[in-house]
Coordinates of all heavy atoms in Angstrom, one line a residue:
M1 N -1.1 -27.9 -16.2 CA -2.3 -27.3 -15.6 C -3.4 -28.4 -15.7 O -3.6 -28.9 -16.8 CB -2.9 -26.1 -16.3 CG -1.8 -24.9 -16.4 SD -2.5 -23.6 -15.4 CE -1.2 -22.4 -15.8
D2 N -3.9 -29.0 -14.7 CA -4.7 -30.1 -14.7 C -6.1 -29.9 -14.1 O -6.7 -30.7 -13.5 CB -4.0 -31.3 -14.1 CG -3.7 -31.1 -12.5 OD1 -3.9 -29.8 -12.2 OD2 -3.2 -31.9 -11.9
S3 N -6.5 -28.6 -14.5 CA -7.8 -28.2 -14.0 C -8.5 -27.4 -15.2 O -8.0 -26.9 -16.1 CB -7.9 -27.5 -12.8 OG -7.4 -26.2 -12.9
V4 N -9.8 -27.4 -15.1 CA -10.5 -26.6 -16.1 C -10.1 -25.1 -15.9 O -9.8 -24.5 -17.0 CB -12.1 -26.7 -15.8 CG1 -12.8 -25.8 -16.9 CG2 -12.5 -28.2 -16.4
D5 N -10.1 -24.6 -14.7 CA -9.6 -23.1 -14.5 C -8.2 -23.0 -15.1 O -7.9 -22.0 -15.6 CB -9.7 -22.9 -13.0 CG -11.2 -22.6 -12.6 OD1 -12.0 -22.7 -13.4 OD2 -11.2 -22.6 -11.4
G6 N -7.3 -23.9 -14.9 CA -6.0 -23.7 -15.3 C -6.0 -23.7 -17.0 O -5.2 -22.9 -17.5
I7 N -6.7 -24.5 -17.6 CA -6.8 -24.6 -19.1 C -7.4 -23.2 -19.5 O -6.9 -22.6 -20.4 CB -7.4 -25.8 -19.6 CG1 -6.6 -27.1 -19.2 CG2 -7.7 -25.6 -21.1 CD1 -7.4 -28.3 -19.5
R8 N -8.4 -22.8 -18.8 CA -9.1 -21.6 -19.1 C -8.0 -20.4 -19.1 O -8.0 -19.7 -20.0 CB -10.3 -21.3 -18.2 CG -10.9 -19.9 -18.3 CD -11.5 -19.5 -17.2 NE -10.5 -19.3 -16.0 CZ -10.8 -19.2 -14.8 NH1 -11.9 -19.5 -14.4 NH2 -9.9 -19.1 -13.9
D9 N -7.3 -20.5 -18.0 CA -6.3 -19.3 -17.9 C -5.2 -19.4 -19.1 O -4.7 -18.4 -19.5 CB -5.7 -19.3 -16.6 CG -6.6 -19.0 -15.5 OD1 -7.6 -18.5 -15.7 OD2 -6.4 -19.3 -14.3
R10 N -4.8 -20.6 -19.3 CA -3.8 -20.7 -20.4 C -4.4 -20.3 -21.8 O -3.8 -19.6 -22.5 CB -3.4 -22.2 -20.6 CG -2.4 -22.7 -19.5 CD -1.9 -24.1 -19.8 NE -0.8 -23.9 -21.0 CZ -0.3 -24.8 -21.6 NH1 -0.5 -26.1 -21.2 NH2 0.6 -24.8 -22.5
L11 N -5.5 -20.6 -22.0 CA -6.3 -20.2 -23.2 C -6.5 -18.6 -23.3 O -6.3 -18.0 -24.3 CB -7.7 -20.7 -23.5 CG -7.7 -22.3 -23.7 CD1 -9.0 -22.9 -23.7 CD2 -6.9 -22.5 -25.1
R12 N -6.7 -18.0 -22.1 CA -6.9 -16.5 -22.1 C -5.5 -16.0 -22.4 O -5.4 -15.1 -23.2 CB -7.1 -16.2 -20.6 CG -8.7 -16.2 -20.2 CD -8.8 -15.7 -18.8 NE -10.2 -15.9 -18.3 CZ -10.5 -15.7 -17.2 NH1 -9.7 -15.2 -16.2 NH2 -11.9 -15.9 -16.7
E13 N -4.4 -16.5 -21.8 CA -3.1 -16.0 -22.2 C -2.7 -16.1 -23.6 O -2.0 -15.2 -24.2 CB -2.1 -16.6 -21.3 CG -2.3 -16.3 -19.7 CD -1.5 -17.1 -18.8 OE1 -0.6 -17.9 -19.2 OE2 -1.8 -17.1 -17.6
F14 N -3.0 -17.2 -24.1 CA -2.8 -17.7 -25.6 C -3.5 -16.6 -26.4 O -2.9 -16.1 -27.3 CB -3.2 -19.1 -25.9 CG -3.0 -19.6 -27.2 CD1 -1.8 -20.4 -27.4 CD2 -3.8 -19.4 -28.3 CE1 -1.5 -20.8 -28.6 CE2 -3.5 -19.9 -29.5 CZ -2.4 -20.6 -29.7
A15 N -4.8 -16.4 -26.3 CA -5.5 -15.5 -27.1 C -5.0 -14.0 -26.9 O -4.8 -13.2 -27.9 CB -7.1 -15.5 -26.8
A16 N -4.8 -13.6 -25.6 CA -4.4 -12.2 -25.5 C -3.0 -12.0 -26.2 O -2.8 -10.9 -26.7 CB -4.3 -12.0 -24.0
A17 N -2.1 -12.9 -26.0 CA -0.6 -12.7 -26.6 C -0.7 -12.6 -28.1 O 0.3 -12.1 -28.7 CB 0.2 -14.0 -26.2
R18 N -1.8 -13.0 -28.7 CA -1.9 -13.1 -30.2 C -2.8 -12.0 -30.7 O -3.2 -12.0 -31.9 CB -2.1 -14.4 -30.8 CG -1.0 -15.4 -30.5 CD -1.5 -16.8 -30.4 NE -0.2 -17.7 -30.4 CZ 0.3 -18.0 -29.1 NH1 -0.2 -17.3 -28.1 NH2 1.3 -18.7 -29.0
D19 N -3.5 -11.3 -29.7 CA -4.5 -10.3 -30.0 C -5.8 -11.1 -30.8 O -6.3 -10.6 -31.8 CB -4.0 -9.2 -30.9 CG -4.9 -8.1 -30.9 OD1 -5.8 -7.9 -30.0 OD2 -5.0 -7.2 -31.9
W20 N -6.1 -12.2 -30.4 CA -7.1 -13.0 -31.0 C -8.5 -12.8 -30.2 O -9.5 -13.4 -30.7 CB -6.8 -14.5 -30.9 CG -5.7 -15.0 -32.1 CD1 -5.2 -14.1 -32.9 CD2 -5.2 -16.1 -32.3 NE1 -4.2 -14.7 -33.7 CE2 -4.3 -16.1 -33.4 CE3 -5.4 -17.3 -31.8 CZ2 -3.5 -17.2 -33.8 CZ3 -4.6 -18.5 -32.1 CH2 -3.8 -18.4 -33.3
E21 N -8.4 -12.1 -29.1 CA -9.7 -12.0 -28.4 C -10.7 -11.4 -29.3 O -12.0 -11.7 -29.1 CB -9.5 -11.1 -27.2 CG -8.6 -11.7 -26.2 CD -7.6 -10.8 -25.3 OE1 -7.3 -9.7 -25.9 OE2 -7.7 -11.0 -24.1
Q22 N -10.5 -10.5 -30.2 CA -11.4 -10.0 -31.1 C -12.2 -11.0 -31.9 O -13.2 -10.7 -32.3 CB -10.6 -9.0 -32.0 CG -9.6 -9.6 -32.8 CD -8.8 -8.6 -33.6 OE1 -9.4 -7.7 -34.3 NE2 -7.5 -8.7 -33.6
Y23 N -11.5 -12.1 -32.1 CA -12.2 -13.2 -32.9 C -12.9 -14.2 -32.1 O -13.7 -15.0 -32.5 CB -11.2 -13.9 -33.7 CG -10.2 -13.1 -34.6 CD1 -8.9 -13.1 -34.3 CD2 -10.8 -12.3 -35.5 CE1 -8.1 -12.1 -35.0 CE2 -10.0 -11.5 -36.4 CZ -8.6 -11.4 -36.1 OH -7.9 -10.6 -36.8
H24 N -12.7 -14.1 -30.7 CA -13.3 -15.2 -29.9 C -14.6 -14.8 -29.3 O -14.8 -14.6 -28.1 CB -12.2 -15.4 -28.7 CG -11.3 -16.4 -29.1 ND1 -10.3 -16.9 -28.4 CD2 -10.7 -16.8 -30.4 CE1 -9.4 -17.5 -29.0 NE2 -9.6 -17.5 -30.3
T25 N -15.5 -14.5 -30.3 CA -17.0 -14.4 -29.8 C -17.5 -15.7 -29.5 O -17.2 -16.7 -30.1 CB -17.7 -13.6 -31.0 OG1 -17.7 -14.5 -32.2 CG2 -17.0 -12.3 -31.4
P26 N -18.8 -15.7 -28.8 CA -19.3 -16.8 -28.6 C -19.8 -17.5 -29.8 O -19.8 -18.7 -30.1 CB -20.6 -16.5 -27.8 CG -20.1 -15.2 -27.1 CD -19.3 -14.5 -27.9
K27 N -20.3 -16.8 -30.9 CA -20.6 -17.3 -32.2 C -19.5 -18.0 -32.8 O -19.6 -19.2 -33.3 CB -21.3 -16.3 -33.0 CG -21.7 -16.9 -34.5 CD -21.8 -15.8 -35.5 CE -20.7 -15.1 -36.0 NZ -19.8 -15.9 -36.9
N28 N -18.3 -17.4 -33.0 CA -17.3 -18.0 -33.7 C -16.8 -19.1 -33.0 O -16.3 -20.3 -33.6 CB -16.1 -16.9 -33.8 CG -16.4 -15.9 -34.7 OD1 -17.4 -15.9 -35.5 ND2 -15.6 -14.8 -34.8
L29 N -16.7 -19.1 -31.6 CA -16.1 -20.3 -30.8 C -17.2 -21.4 -30.9 O -16.6 -22.6 -30.9 CB -15.9 -19.7 -29.3 CG -14.8 -18.9 -29.2 CD1 -14.9 -18.1 -27.8 CD2 -13.4 -19.5 -29.4
A30 N -18.4 -21.2 -30.9 CA -19.4 -22.3 -31.1 C -19.2 -22.9 -32.5 O -19.2 -24.2 -32.5 CB -20.8 -21.7 -30.8
M31 N -19.1 -22.1 -33.5 CA -18.8 -22.7 -34.8 C -17.5 -23.5 -34.9 O -17.5 -24.6 -35.5 CB -18.8 -21.6 -35.9 CG -20.2 -20.9 -36.0 SD -20.2 -19.5 -37.2 CE -20.2 -20.5 -38.6
A32 N -16.4 -23.2 -34.2 CA -15.3 -23.9 -34.2 C -15.4 -25.1 -33.5 O -14.9 -26.0 -33.9 CB -14.1 -23.0 -33.6
L33 N -16.1 -25.0 -32.4 CA -16.3 -26.2 -31.5 C -17.1 -27.3 -32.4 O -16.8 -28.4 -32.3 CB -17.2 -25.8 -30.3 CG -17.7 -26.9 -29.5 CD1 -16.7 -27.9 -28.9 CD2 -18.5 -26.3 -28.3
S34 N -18.1 -26.8 -33.1 CA -18.8 -27.7 -34.0 C -18.1 -28.4 -35.0 O -18.1 -29.4 -35.2 CB -20.1 -26.9 -34.6 OG -20.9 -27.9 -35.3
G35 N -17.1 -27.6 -35.7 CA -16.2 -28.2 -36.6 C -15.3 -29.2 -36.2 O -15.2 -30.3 -36.6
E36 N -14.8 -29.0 -34.9 CA -13.9 -29.8 -34.2 C -14.8 -31.2 -33.7 O -14.1 -32.2 -33.9 CB -13.2 -29.2 -33.0 CG -12.3 -28.1 -33.3 CD -11.1 -28.6 -34.2 OE1 -10.8 -29.7 -34.4 OE2 -10.5 -27.6 -34.9
A37 N -16.0 -31.0 -33.4 CA -16.7 -32.2 -33.0 C -17.0 -33.0 -34.3 O -16.9 -34.2 -34.2 CB -18.1 -31.8 -32.4
G38 N -17.2 -32.3 -35.4 CA -17.2 -33.1 -36.7 C -16.0 -33.8 -37.1 O -16.1 -34.9 -37.6
E39 N -14.7 -33.3 -36.8 CA -13.5 -33.9 -37.0 C -13.3 -35.1 -36.0 O -12.8 -36.2 -36.4 CB -12.3 -33.0 -36.7 CG -12.3 -31.8 -37.8 CD -11.1 -30.9 -37.6 OE1 -10.2 -31.3 -36.9 OE2 -11.2 -29.8 -38.2
L40 N -13.8 -35.1 -34.9 CA -13.9 -36.2 -33.9 C -14.7 -37.3 -34.4 O -14.3 -38.4 -34.5 CB -14.4 -35.7 -32.5 CG -14.5 -36.8 -31.4 CD1 -13.0 -37.4 -31.0 CD2 -15.0 -36.1 -30.1
V41 N -15.9 -37.0 -34.9 CA -16.8 -37.9 -35.5 C -16.2 -38.6 -36.7 O -16.3 -39.9 -36.8 CB -18.1 -37.4 -35.6 CG1 -19.1 -38.3 -36.4 CG2 -18.9 -36.9 -34.5
A42 N -15.6 -37.8 -37.6 CA -15.0 -38.3 -38.8 C -13.9 -39.5 -38.5 O -13.9 -40.3 -39.4 CB -14.4 -37.3 -39.6
E43 N -13.3 -39.4 -37.4 CA -12.3 -40.4 -37.1 C -12.9 -41.8 -36.9 O -12.4 -42.8 -37.1 CB -11.5 -40.0 -35.9 CG -10.6 -38.8 -36.1 CD -9.5 -39.1 -37.2 OE1 -9.1 -40.2 -37.4 OE2 -8.9 -38.1 -37.7
L44 N -14.2 -41.7 -36.4 CA -14.9 -43.0 -36.1 C -15.9 -43.4 -37.2 O -16.4 -44.5 -36.9 CB -15.6 -42.9 -34.7 CG -14.5 -42.6 -33.5 CD1 -15.4 -42.0 -32.4 CD2 -13.9 -43.8 -33.3
Q45 N -16.1 -42.5 -38.1 CA -17.4 -42.6 -38.9 C -17.5 -44.0 -39.6 O -18.7 -44.6 -39.6 CB -17.3 -41.6 -40.1 CG -18.6 -41.5 -41.0 CD -18.4 -40.3 -41.8 OE1 -17.4 -39.6 -41.9 NE2 -19.5 -40.0 -42.5
W46 N -16.5 -44.7 -40.2 CA -16.7 -45.9 -40.9 C -16.2 -47.0 -40.2 O -16.0 -48.1 -40.8 CB -16.0 -45.7 -42.3 CG -16.8 -44.7 -43.1 CD1 -16.1 -43.5 -43.4 CD2 -18.0 -44.6 -43.5 NE1 -17.0 -42.6 -44.1 CE2 -18.1 -43.3 -44.2 CE3 -19.1 -45.4 -43.5 CZ2 -19.4 -43.0 -44.8 CZ3 -20.3 -45.1 -44.0 CH2 -20.4 -43.8 -44.6
L47 N -16.0 -47.0 -38.8 CA -15.5 -48.2 -38.3 C -16.6 -49.0 -37.8 O -17.8 -48.4 -37.7 CB -14.8 -47.7 -36.8 CG -13.5 -46.9 -37.0 CD1 -12.9 -46.6 -35.6 CD2 -12.6 -47.6 -37.8
D48 N -16.4 -50.3 -37.9 CA -17.5 -51.4 -37.7 C -17.6 -51.6 -36.2 O -16.9 -52.4 -35.7 CB -17.2 -52.5 -38.5 CG -17.6 -52.4 -39.8 OD1 -18.3 -51.6 -40.2 OD2 -16.8 -53.1 -40.7
G49 N -18.5 -50.9 -35.6 CA -18.7 -51.2 -34.1 C -17.5 -51.5 -33.3 O -17.4 -52.3 -32.5
A50 N -16.5 -50.6 -33.4 CA -15.4 -50.7 -32.6 C -15.7 -50.7 -31.2 O -16.4 -49.8 -30.7 CB -14.2 -49.6 -32.9
P51 N -15.2 -51.7 -30.4 CA -15.4 -51.6 -29.0 C -14.7 -50.4 -28.2 O -13.9 -49.7 -29.0 CB -14.8 -53.0 -28.5 CG -13.7 -53.3 -29.5 CD -14.3 -52.6 -30.8
G52 N -14.9 -50.3 -26.8 CA -14.4 -49.2 -26.1 C -13.0 -48.7 -26.3 O -12.7 -47.8 -27.1
P53 N -12.0 -49.3 -25.6 CA -10.6 -48.7 -25.7 C -10.1 -48.8 -27.2 O -10.3 -49.8 -27.8 CB -10.0 -49.5 -24.7 CG -10.9 -50.1 -23.9 CD -12.2 -50.4 -24.8
V54 N -9.4 -47.6 -27.7 CA -8.8 -47.8 -28.9 C -7.3 -47.5 -28.6 O -6.9 -47.1 -27.6 CB -9.3 -46.7 -29.7 CG1 -10.7 -46.8 -30.1 CG2 -9.1 -45.3 -29.2
E55 N -6.6 -48.0 -29.6 CA -5.0 -48.0 -29.4 C -4.4 -47.3 -30.7 O -4.9 -47.3 -31.7 CB -4.4 -49.3 -29.2 CG -5.1 -50.1 -27.9 CD -4.7 -49.4 -26.6 OE1 -3.6 -48.6 -26.6 OE2 -5.4 -49.5 -25.7
G56 N -3.0 -47.1 -30.5 CA -2.3 -46.7 -31.6 C -2.7 -45.3 -32.3 O -3.1 -44.4 -31.5
P57 N -2.5 -45.2 -33.6 CA -2.7 -44.0 -34.2 C -4.1 -43.4 -34.1 O -4.3 -42.3 -34.0 CB -2.3 -44.4 -35.7 CG -1.4 -45.5 -35.6 CD -1.9 -46.3 -34.4
L58 N -5.1 -44.3 -34.1 CA -6.4 -43.9 -34.0 C -6.7 -43.2 -32.6 O -7.3 -42.2 -32.5 CB -7.5 -45.0 -34.2 CG -8.8 -44.7 -33.8 CD1 -9.5 -43.5 -34.7 CD2 -9.8 -45.8 -34.0
K59 N -6.1 -43.8 -31.5 CA -6.2 -43.2 -30.2 C -5.5 -41.8 -30.2 O -6.2 -40.8 -29.6 CB -5.5 -44.0 -29.2 CG -5.7 -43.5 -27.7 CD -5.0 -44.6 -26.7 CE -5.2 -44.1 -25.4 NZ -4.7 -45.2 -24.5
E60 N -4.4 -41.6 -31.0 CA -3.7 -40.4 -30.8 C -4.6 -39.3 -31.6 O -4.8 -38.1 -31.2 CB -2.4 -40.5 -31.6 CG -1.4 -41.4 -30.8 CD -0.1 -41.6 -31.5 OE1 0.3 -40.8 -32.4 OE2 0.6 -42.5 -31.1
R61 N -5.3 -39.9 -32.7 CA -6.0 -38.8 -33.5 C -7.3 -38.4 -32.8 O -7.7 -37.3 -32.8 CB -6.5 -39.3 -34.8 CG -5.2 -39.6 -35.8 CD -5.7 -39.8 -37.2 NE -6.6 -40.9 -37.3 CZ -6.3 -42.2 -37.7 NH1 -5.1 -42.6 -37.8 NH2 -7.2 -43.1 -37.8
L62 N -7.8 -39.4 -32.0 CA -9.0 -39.1 -31.2 C -8.7 -38.2 -30.0 O -9.5 -37.3 -29.8 CB -9.6 -40.6 -30.7 CG -10.4 -41.4 -31.6 CD1 -10.9 -42.5 -31.0 CD2 -11.6 -40.5 -32.1
A63 N -7.6 -38.4 -29.5 CA -7.2 -37.5 -28.4 C -6.9 -36.2 -28.9 O -7.3 -35.2 -28.2 CB -5.9 -38.1 -27.7
D64 N -6.5 -36.1 -30.0 CA -6.0 -34.6 -30.6 C -7.4 -33.9 -30.8 O -7.6 -32.8 -30.5 CB -5.3 -34.9 -31.9 CG -4.7 -33.6 -32.4 OD1 -4.0 -32.8 -31.7 OD2 -5.0 -33.1 -33.6
E65 N -8.4 -34.6 -31.4 CA -9.6 -34.0 -31.8 C -10.4 -33.7 -30.5 O -11.1 -32.7 -30.3 CB -10.4 -34.8 -32.7 CG -9.7 -35.0 -34.1 CD -9.3 -33.7 -34.8 OE1 -9.9 -32.6 -34.4 OE2 -8.5 -33.9 -35.7
A66 N -10.4 -34.7 -29.6 CA -11.0 -34.4 -28.3 C -10.6 -33.2 -27.6 O -11.2 -32.4 -26.9 CB -11.0 -35.7 -27.3
A67 N -9.3 -33.0 -27.7 CA -8.7 -31.9 -27.1 C -9.1 -30.6 -27.7 O -9.4 -29.6 -27.0 CB -7.0 -32.0 -27.2
D68 N -9.2 -30.6 -29.0 CA -9.7 -29.5 -29.8 C -11.2 -29.2 -29.3 O -11.5 -27.9 -29.1 CB -9.8 -29.7 -31.2 CG -8.6 -29.7 -32.0 OD1 -7.5 -29.1 -31.4 OD2 -8.3 -30.3 -33.1
V69 N -12.0 -30.2 -29.1 CA -13.4 -29.9 -28.7 C -13.3 -29.3 -27.3 O -14.1 -28.2 -27.0 CB -14.2 -31.1 -28.7 CG1 -15.5 -31.0 -28.0 CG2 -14.4 -31.6 -30.1
L70 N -12.5 -29.9 -26.4 CA -12.5 -29.4 -25.0 C -12.1 -28.1 -25.0 O -12.6 -27.1 -24.2 CB -11.7 -30.3 -24.1 CG -11.5 -30.0 -22.7 CD1 -13.0 -30.0 -21.9 CD2 -10.5 -30.8 -21.9
L71 N -11.0 -27.7 -25.7 CA -10.3 -26.3 -25.6 C -11.4 -25.2 -26.1 O -11.6 -24.3 -25.5 CB -9.1 -26.2 -26.4 CG -8.0 -27.0 -25.9 CD1 -6.8 -27.1 -26.9 CD2 -7.6 -26.7 -24.5
Y72 N -12.2 -25.6 -27.2 CA -13.0 -24.5 -27.8 C -14.1 -24.5 -26.6 O -14.7 -23.4 -26.6 CB -13.6 -24.9 -29.1 CG -12.6 -24.4 -30.2 CD1 -12.1 -25.3 -31.1 CD2 -12.3 -23.0 -30.3 CE1 -11.3 -24.8 -32.1 CE2 -11.5 -22.7 -31.4 CZ -11.0 -23.5 -32.2 OH -10.2 -23.0 -33.2
L73 N -14.6 -25.5 -26.1 CA -15.8 -25.5 -25.1 C -15.3 -24.7 -23.9 O -16.1 -23.8 -23.6 CB -16.1 -26.9 -24.6 CG -17.3 -26.9 -23.7 CD1 -18.5 -26.4 -24.2 CD2 -17.6 -28.4 -23.2
I74 N -14.1 -24.8 -23.5 CA -13.7 -24.1 -22.2 C -13.6 -22.6 -22.7 O -14.0 -21.7 -21.9 CB -12.3 -24.6 -21.9 CG1 -12.5 -26.0 -21.1 CG2 -11.9 -23.7 -20.8 CD1 -11.3 -26.7 -20.7
R75 N -13.1 -22.4 -23.8 CA -13.0 -20.9 -24.2 C -14.3 -20.2 -24.4 O -14.4 -19.1 -24.1 CB -12.0 -20.8 -25.5 CG -11.8 -19.5 -25.9 CD -10.9 -18.7 -25.0 NE -10.6 -17.4 -25.6 CZ -10.4 -16.3 -24.9 NH1 -10.4 -16.3 -23.6 NH2 -10.1 -15.1 -25.5
L76 N -15.2 -21.0 -25.1 CA -16.6 -20.5 -25.1 C -17.1 -20.1 -23.9 O -17.8 -19.0 -23.6 CB -17.4 -21.6 -26.0 CG -18.9 -21.2 -26.1 CD1 -19.1 -19.9 -26.9 CD2 -19.6 -22.4 -26.8
A77 N -17.1 -21.1 -22.9 CA -17.6 -20.9 -21.6 C -17.1 -19.6 -21.0 O -17.8 -18.8 -20.3 CB -17.6 -22.1 -20.7
D78 N -15.7 -19.5 -21.1 CA -15.1 -18.5 -20.5 C -15.7 -17.0 -21.0 O -16.0 -16.0 -20.3 CB -13.7 -18.6 -20.6 CG -12.8 -17.4 -19.9 OD1 -13.3 -16.9 -18.9 OD2 -11.7 -17.2 -20.4
V79 N -15.5 -17.1 -22.4 CA -16.0 -15.7 -23.0 C -17.6 -15.4 -22.7 O -17.9 -14.2 -22.6 CB -15.7 -15.9 -24.6 CG1 -16.5 -14.7 -25.3 CG2 -14.3 -15.9 -24.9
A80 N -18.2 -16.5 -22.7 CA -19.7 -16.2 -22.3 C -20.1 -16.1 -20.9 O -21.2 -15.9 -20.5 CB -20.6 -17.4 -23.0
G81 N -19.1 -16.2 -20.0 CA -19.2 -15.9 -18.6 C -20.0 -17.2 -18.0 O -20.7 -16.9 -17.0
I82 N -19.8 -18.3 -18.5 CA -20.4 -19.5 -17.9 C -19.4 -20.3 -17.1 O -18.2 -20.5 -17.5 CB -20.9 -20.4 -19.1 CG1 -22.0 -19.9 -19.9 CG2 -21.3 -21.8 -18.6 CD1 -22.3 -20.5 -21.3
D83 N -19.8 -20.7 -15.8 CA -19.0 -21.5 -15.0 C -19.3 -23.0 -15.5 O -20.4 -23.5 -15.2 CB -19.4 -21.3 -13.6 CG -18.5 -22.2 -12.5 OD1 -18.1 -23.2 -13.0 OD2 -18.3 -21.7 -11.5
L84 N -18.3 -23.4 -16.4 CA -18.6 -24.7 -16.8 C -18.8 -25.9 -16.0 O -19.7 -26.7 -16.2 CB -17.4 -25.2 -17.9 CG -17.7 -26.1 -19.0 CD1 -18.8 -25.7 -19.8 CD2 -16.3 -26.0 -19.8
V85 N -18.0 -26.0 -14.9 CA -18.1 -27.0 -13.8 C -19.4 -26.9 -13.1 O -20.3 -27.9 -12.9 CB -16.9 -27.1 -13.0 CG1 -17.1 -28.0 -11.8 CG2 -15.5 -27.4 -13.6
K86 N -19.8 -25.7 -12.8 CA -21.0 -25.6 -12.1 C -22.2 -25.8 -13.0 O -23.2 -26.6 -12.6 CB -21.1 -24.1 -11.7 CG -22.4 -23.8 -10.9 CD -22.5 -22.2 -10.6 CE -23.7 -21.8 -9.9 NZ -23.8 -20.3 -9.5
A87 N -22.1 -25.6 -14.3 CA -23.2 -25.9 -15.4 C -23.2 -27.5 -15.5 O -24.3 -27.9 -15.6 CB -23.0 -25.1 -16.6
A88 N -22.1 -28.0 -15.5 CA -22.1 -29.5 -15.7 C -22.7 -30.2 -14.5 O -23.4 -31.2 -14.7 CB -20.7 -29.9 -16.0
N89 N -22.4 -29.8 -13.4 CA -22.9 -30.4 -12.1 C -24.5 -30.2 -12.0 O -25.1 -31.2 -11.7 CB -22.2 -29.9 -10.9 CG -20.9 -30.8 -10.6 OD1 -20.8 -31.9 -10.7 ND2 -19.7 -29.9 -10.4
A90 N -25.0 -29.0 -12.4 CA -26.2 -28.7 -12.4 C -27.0 -29.6 -13.4 O -28.1 -30.1 -13.1 CB -26.5 -27.3 -12.6
K91 N -26.4 -29.7 -14.4 CA -27.1 -30.7 -15.6 C -27.1 -32.1 -15.1 O -28.1 -32.8 -15.2 CB -26.2 -30.6 -16.8 CG -26.8 -31.2 -18.0 CD -28.1 -30.6 -18.5 CE -28.6 -31.2 -19.7 NZ -29.7 -30.3 -20.4
I92 N -25.9 -32.6 -14.6 CA -26.1 -34.1 -13.9 C -27.2 -34.1 -12.9 O -27.9 -35.2 -12.8 CB -24.7 -34.4 -13.3 CG1 -23.6 -34.5 -14.6 CG2 -24.7 -35.8 -12.7 CD1 -22.2 -34.6 -14.2
D93 N -27.3 -33.0 -11.9 CA -28.4 -33.1 -11.0 C -29.6 -33.3 -11.6 O -30.5 -34.1 -11.1 CB -28.3 -31.8 -10.2 CG -27.1 -31.6 -9.3 OD1 -26.3 -32.8 -9.0 OD2 -26.8 -30.6 -8.7
R94 N -29.9 -32.5 -12.6 CA -31.3 -32.5 -13.4 C -31.5 -33.9 -14.0 O -32.6 -34.4 -13.9 CB -31.4 -31.4 -14.3 CG -31.7 -30.0 -13.8 CD -32.1 -29.1 -14.8 NE -31.3 -28.8 -16.0 CZ -30.1 -28.1 -16.0 NH1 -29.8 -27.4 -15.1 NH2 -29.5 -28.1 -17.2
N95 N -30.4 -34.5 -14.6 CA -30.5 -35.8 -15.2 C -30.8 -36.9 -14.2 O -31.5 -37.8 -14.6 CB -29.4 -36.0 -16.0 CG -29.3 -35.2 -17.3 OD1 -30.4 -34.8 -17.8 ND2 -28.1 -35.2 -18.0
E96 N -30.1 -36.7 -13.0 CA -30.4 -37.8 -11.9 C -31.9 -37.8 -11.6 O -32.4 -38.8 -11.3 CB -29.4 -37.6 -10.8 CG -28.1 -37.8 -11.0 CD -27.1 -37.4 -9.9 OE1 -27.6 -36.6 -9.1 OE2 -26.0 -38.0 -9.8
T97 N -32.6 -36.6 -11.5 CA -34.0 -36.5 -11.4 C -34.9 -37.0 -12.5 O -35.8 -37.7 -12.1 CB -34.4 -34.9 -10.9 OG1 -33.4 -34.5 -9.9 CG2 -35.7 -34.9 -10.6
R98 N -34.5 -36.6 -13.7 CA -35.2 -37.0 -14.8 C -35.0 -38.5 -15.1 O -36.1 -39.1 -15.6 CB -34.6 -36.2 -16.1 CG -34.9 -34.8 -16.1 CD -34.3 -34.2 -17.5 NE -35.1 -34.7 -18.6 CZ -34.5 -34.7 -19.8 NH1 -33.3 -34.1 -19.9 NH2 -35.1 -35.2 -20.8
F99 N -34.0 -39.0 -14.9 CA -33.8 -40.5 -15.3 C -33.4 -41.3 -13.9 O -32.1 -41.5 -13.7 CB -32.7 -40.6 -16.3 CG -32.9 -39.7 -17.4 CD1 -32.2 -38.6 -17.8 CD2 -34.0 -40.1 -18.4 CE1 -32.6 -37.8 -18.8 CE2 -34.2 -39.4 -19.5 CZ -33.4 -38.2 -19.7
P100 N -34.3 -41.5 -12.9 CA -33.9 -42.3 -11.9 C -33.3 -43.7 -12.1 O -33.6 -44.3 -13.3 CB -35.3 -42.4 -11.0 CG -36.4 -42.1 -12.0 CD -35.6 -41.3 -13.2
P101 N -32.4 -44.2 -11.2 CA -31.7 -45.5 -11.5 C -32.8 -46.5 -11.5 O -33.9 -46.4 -10.9 CB -30.9 -45.6 -10.3 CG -31.2 -44.7 -9.2 CD -32.0 -43.5 -10.1
A102 N -32.6 -47.7 -12.2 CA -33.5 -48.8 -12.3 C -33.5 -49.5 -10.9 O -32.5 -49.5 -10.2 CB -33.0 -49.7 -13.5
T103 N -34.6 -49.9 -10.5 CA -34.8 -50.5 -9.2 C -34.8 -52.0 -9.4 O -35.1 -52.6 -10.4 CB -36.0 -50.2 -8.5 OG1 -37.3 -50.3 -9.3 CG2 -36.0 -48.6 -8.2
Ligands
MG1 MG1 -9.1 -30.8 -35.0

């Protein structure tokens, strides 16, 4: 599944199959998301100004934590009834207005 909707549907099925929907409240999911964001930050915390692309084991750990963040975000948006792609596009639209390109 290579779309947000596809991942959302997989997460729905995953939670339903384990009877975990009862735990997937917006509050719980937001807290889990925050924890995973912390794990992502921790991977980079003490690196000295590492440039953009990363390789090797660090890249694998970053990918793992980034996936955790994304999965909780998608699940949170689903439970809260938020169209994540629509909300993201609306946000970019607002930012384009707030921060016009340099001339
Ligand atoms: Mg994690």
Side-chain angles (χ1 to χ4, degrees):
M1 304 247 183
D2 58 357
S3 69
V4 172
D5 286 351
I7 293 171
R8 178 204 62 202
D9 291 347
R10 285 192 72 187
L11 290 171
R12 282 182 185 173
E13 293 166 11
F14 185 93
R18 290 158 181 80
D19 196 25
W20 285 358
E21 291 152 318
Q22 60 189 311
Y23 307 115
H24 285 186
T25 63
K27 178 193 74 73
N28 288 349
L29 291 164
M31 292 177 74
L33 170 59
S34 179
E36 295 298 344
E39 291 180 15
L40 178 66
V41 171
E43 292 294 341
L44 300 167
Q45 185 171 8
W46 299 113
L47 297 181
D48 286 332
V54 294
E55 299 296 335
L58 175 59
K59 184 175 183 177
E60 293 176 17
R61 293 196 306 273
L62 285 179
D64 193 58
E65 299 305 341
D68 285 339
V69 170
L70 180 64
L71 295 176
Y72 276 122
L73 180 61
I74 290 172
R75 183 69 178 146
L76 169 61
D78 187 27
V79 168
I82 295 165
D83 182 330
L84 201 51
V85 172
K86 182 179 176 183
N89 278 310
K91 187 71 176 192
I92 294 170
D93 289 345
R94 287 196 304 276
N95 284 341
E96 285 175 342
T97 302
R98 287 181 65 201
F99 307 106
T103 54

